[in-house]
Amino acid sequence: MKNESISLDHLENIKGNPKALLPIAIFLVLYLGLGITFEYVLKVPMGFYNIPIVAAFLIAIFVACIQNRKLNFDKKMNVMAGALGDRNIFLMILVFLCAGIFAGILGRSSASAAAYLLLDFIPSQFAVVVLFVVAAFVSTAMGTSVGTIAVVSPIAIEVAGAAGFSIPFCVASVIGGAMFGDNLSFISDTTIAATSTQGCKMKDKFKVNFWIALPAALAAIVIITAISFATDAHEVVSADYKLIQLMPYVLVLALALVGINVFMVLLVGIVAAAVVMVGSGELNFVGLLSHIGNGISGMYETIMVAVLVSALCGLIRIHGGFAALLDFIHKVFKGHRSGQLGVGLLVSAMDVATANNTVAIVMAAPIAKQMSDEYRISPQKTASLLDIFGCILQGLLPYGAQMLVALSAIASAATANTAAGAVVNGVEAVVNGVEAVNVSAFDIIPYMFYPFLLLISVLAFIAISPKRKKNV
């Protein structure tokens, strides 16, 4: 049988067809429309995350399959198969699985050890800065901002109650630190997606990304410190922890920074995590296997979305959708610097629509790759821009997973404190509980200094960054 496969690498002469973008529009209507309805109209808790994103993408793929009658169904299947056969997609899936195992083995107790360690030695006036730094460290090592926020937010609420800081201030600092770490982490799904799709090494992307993120983080720490010293802080919380549980995080971070292959880094990290967690008595062998399974399961949806988005993008590209979008971009963004801004706006729009920066990066990546070539933006810069702009919006979205997980932690802490009838600094916990229940995303956003400062930093970077040389 004759091979009907169609290479996606030789489609540069396809004419723009705006109608080919219809599948993306349908996905956005389904996901964003239903999400807003569930979250804000029907008041469903975590409304956006009750929408089956995989089902929404399947519907979008079905719409793409019935477009363009010039291609029969078999050829369209070959197009999708060719898109899925890209080595970067396979690499991304393997790293997602390894990262899930690593995070699954360590769980929450090891991450909280970092927070309680620093809180034991740092004066109470610096407690909120500690929260930011701990969230940044844990997120960099774990590669997940949502997981970090779930672990550190309850500690932040304890710090707020004990030291006298406001809950929105403490929780916002945790979210900011978590977004900093997730943006830079070598095992973050956003980093993996950005570097894999743009064809650059993680350490090269890190070098570019670090010098954009660091000034924003330092400025955020200064602001947090200034606000903290304006508060009459009391003693902070303490708890038991096992210091050895930090070792796998430190090991993974150190190996990644020296440029060792990401699979080797994760393999060493997985072995170290297993030895530490079993050796410290935190897990037995059966528990270890269970945590490994949970870590893998936690990556299923992310992997499936990456697969479906790749197939969908293959069809949209051959139908002329990306060409149409690039035609529009060429009319609006005409130079090297405006092209970088175009990459940022593209992934930002995707993130606002999907409330998932990994999905946004995967969706924007094929277009960003073409823009990288046409506007002479280096692959590592493009990968950094994709990750940074996705990070900025994701941390601020009231309906994003990061904000919703933080609000859920606040509500859980309030319920637990009220039920226990605890007393914090002579004040009945029900008072803190009422305060916590009334905290909304819009109370937290004004304290989200890091994402706003990161936006300023990346815009300054775009303004001064040189153009990539030809054939580089």
Side-chain angles (χ1 to χ4, degrees):
M1 181 177 177
K2 186 178 179 180
N3 186 357
E4 297 286 351
S5 65
I6 299 175
S7 172
L8 293 180
D9 295 327
H10 301 88
L11 299 175
E12 309 305 327
N13 296 322
I14 289 179
K15 293 183 179 180
N17 177 20
K19 293 181 180 178
L21 297 171
L22 179 63
I24 293 180
I26 288 177
F27 166 78
L28 297 181
V29 169
L30 287 173
Y31 187 75
L32 189 59
L34 288 175
I36 291 174
T37 301
F38 280 21
E39 186 77 32
Y40 297 107
V41 178
L42 301 179
K43 306 296 183 182
V44 176
M46 299 286 285
F48 267 85
Y49 294 87
N50 283 300
I51 309 299
I53 190 171
V54 171
F57 273 119
L58 282 173
I59 294 172
I61 287 177
F62 173 76
V63 173
C65 283
I66 62 177
Q67 290 183 307
N68 191 2
R69 295 183 180 180
K70 293 180 180 179
L71 290 179
N72 61 37
F73 184 74
D74 286 341
K75 289 183 178 179
K76 290 172 183 174
M77 289 295 292
N78 286 330
V79 169
M80 289 190 285
L84 294 178
D86 188 290
R87 66 178 297 276
N88 292 323
I89 299 300
F90 186 64
L91 174 68
M92 193 188 309
I93 291 172
L94 288 179
V95 176
F96 280 161
L97 288 172
C98 291
I101 293 172
F102 177 73
I105 292 174
L106 288 172
R108 296 187 176 189
S109 60
S110 55
S112 62
Y116 288 121
L117 170 65
L118 289 177
L119 288 172
D120 271 351
F121 298 99
I122 302 297
S124 58
Q125 291 286 4
F126 294 95
V128 185
V129 172
V130 168
L131 292 173
F132 180 92
V133 172
V134 166
F137 168 76
V138 172
S139 187
T140 302
M142 288 181 65
T144 166
S145 57
V146 174
T148 299
I149 292 166
V151 170
V152 185
S153 286
I155 302 171
I157 295 163
E158 291 184 54
V159 168
F165 297 110
S166 75
I167 289 177
F169 177 43
C170 291
V171 171
S173 298
V174 170
I175 298 174
M179 297 310 297
F180 171 80
D182 189 28
N183 180 216
L184 291 175
S185 174
F186 282 76
I187 61 172
S188 166
D189 48 4
T190 58
T191 296
I192 295 165
T195 55
S196 298
T197 56
Q198 301 309 305
C200 69
K201 296 179 179 179
M202 290 188 181
K203 65 177 182 178
D204 293 333
K205 181 260 189 187
F206 178 86
K207 290 175 183 177
V208 175
N209 209 152
F210 179 77
W211 294 113
I212 300 172
L214 181 62
L218 293 176
I221 288 173
V222 170
I223 295 173
I224 292 170
T225 302
I227 294 175
S228 297
F229 271 82
T231 304
D232 183 18
H234 309 292
E235 76 278 1
V236 295
V237 295
S238 63
D240 294 331
Y241 56 86
K242 297 178 180 179
L243 192 59
I244 193 173
Q245 292 179 358
L246 293 177
M247 189 270 286
Y249 291 136
V250 176
L251 184 61
V252 164
L253 190 58
L255 292 176
L257 287 174
V258 297
I260 294 178
N261 179 275
V262 64
F263 285 116
M264 184 59 67
V265 169
L266 286 171
L267 180 61
V268 172
I270 288 169
V271 173
V275 170
V276 166
M277 296 302 283
V278 174
S280 65
E282 193 72 28
L283 295 174
N284 57 29
F285 183 70
V286 175
L288 175 66
L289 294 179
S290 176
H291 278 233
I292 289 174
N294 291 336
I296 293 173
S297 299
M299 286 293 181
Y300 282 166
E301 184 174 77
T302 300
I303 290 171
M304 186 55 64
V305 166
V307 168
L308 293 178
V309 168
S310 299
L312 178 63
C313 287
L315 286 176
I316 291 174
R317 183 176 181 184
I318 201 171
H319 292 170
F322 289 169
L325 198 51
L326 283 170
D327 289 342
F328 171 77
I329 290 171
H330 288 154
K331 293 178 182 178
V332 178
F333 304 102
K334 299 184 181 298
H336 171 70
R337 292 185 176 86
S338 62
Q340 293 178 71
L341 184 60
V343 171
L345 292 177
L346 175 66
V347 71
S348 296
M350 296 295 185
D351 191 51
V352 168
T354 62
N356 186 313
N357 49 343
T358 304
V359 175
I361 289 170
V362 173
M363 291 181 70
I367 303 172
K369 179 65 174 174
Q370 290 184 254
M371 293 175 67
S372 173
D373 295 334
E374 295 185 25
Y375 290 98
R376 290 165 60 187
I377 309 169
S378 68
Q380 55 266 35
K381 275 187 187 178
T382 307
S384 295
L385 292 171
L386 286 171
D387 205 345
I388 287 170
F389 277 96
C391 166
I392 292 169
L393 264 295
Q394 188 65 29
L396 294 172
L397 288 177
Y399 51 89
Q402 288 76 5
M403 189 69 73
L404 294 177
V405 167
L407 292 172
S408 177
I410 293 172
S412 297
T415 302
N417 285 341
T418 301
V423 175
V424 179
N425 289 330
V427 181
E428 292 185 3
V430 68
V431 175
N432 288 328
V434 171
E435 177 193 356
V437 169
N438 290 333
V439 171
S440 72
F442 299 100
D443 296 316
I444 295 174
I445 289 174
Y447 293 100
M448 292 289 294
F449 307 119
Y450 176 70
F452 291 117
L453 292 166
L454 183 60
L455 176 60
I456 296 172
S457 183
V458 72
L459 291 177
F461 168 80
I462 290 173
I464 64 175
S465 63
K467 186 183 297 184
R468 181 180 65 168
K469 296 179 181 179
K470 292 183 179 180
N471 301 322
V472 175

